[in-house]
Amino acid sequence: MLMCRDLAVVASDYIDGELAGLQNLSVKMHLMMCRDCRTFIGNLRASTELMKAHSSIRPDEEFMRRIDERVAEALKARKEDSGDG
């Protein structure tokens, strides 16, 4: 079963439609059960669309990867603090 920290790692690929069938299905199932991750994906999607609408410059892939890692770390710490793990 996909955990919140796992979703954070693949969130950008999910939004971009780049996940394979089973992985995409795992994300969708997790989102059905996790309100925090639905909020996270919604905010990430809105941020991505806003960036695309107001910039012709494509964000650096390494920069985006580091953001994904920081988000994953923050979600993991949050879940560990709450005991949801």
Side-chain angles (χ1 to χ4, degrees):
M1 174 150 182
L2 193 71
M3 304 294 288
C4 297
R5 62 181 168 266
D6 302 324
L7 184 132
V9 171
V10 299
S12 292
D13 290 340
Y14 172 74
I15 289 173
D16 293 340
E18 297 176 355
L19 295 181
L22 187 57
Q23 195 172 25
N24 191 48
L25 181 61
S26 293
V27 170
K28 287 183 178 189
M29 289 178 61
H30 181 86
L31 292 175
M32 288 175 31
M33 298 182 286
C34 182
R35 182 181 57 171
D36 289 340
C37 286
R38 284 194 304 271
T39 300
F40 168 68
I41 288 290
N43 289 339
L44 183 60
R45 181 174 282 136
S47 298
T48 301
E49 290 172 1
L50 189 61
M51 286 176 57
K52 287 178 181 175
H54 294 284
S55 175
S56 60
I57 301 171
R58 184 152 174 88
D60 179 63
E61 294 291 327
E62 177 62 20
F63 176 72
M64 296 304 292
R65 186 190 60 74
R66 287 186 302 202
I67 289 175
D68 288 344
E69 287 177 358
R70 297 287 300 265
V71 169
E73 291 169 6
L75 283 173
K76 180 180 177 184
R78 185 175 175 186
K79 289 293 180 179
E80 289 174 353
D81 288 345
S82 70
D84 291 343

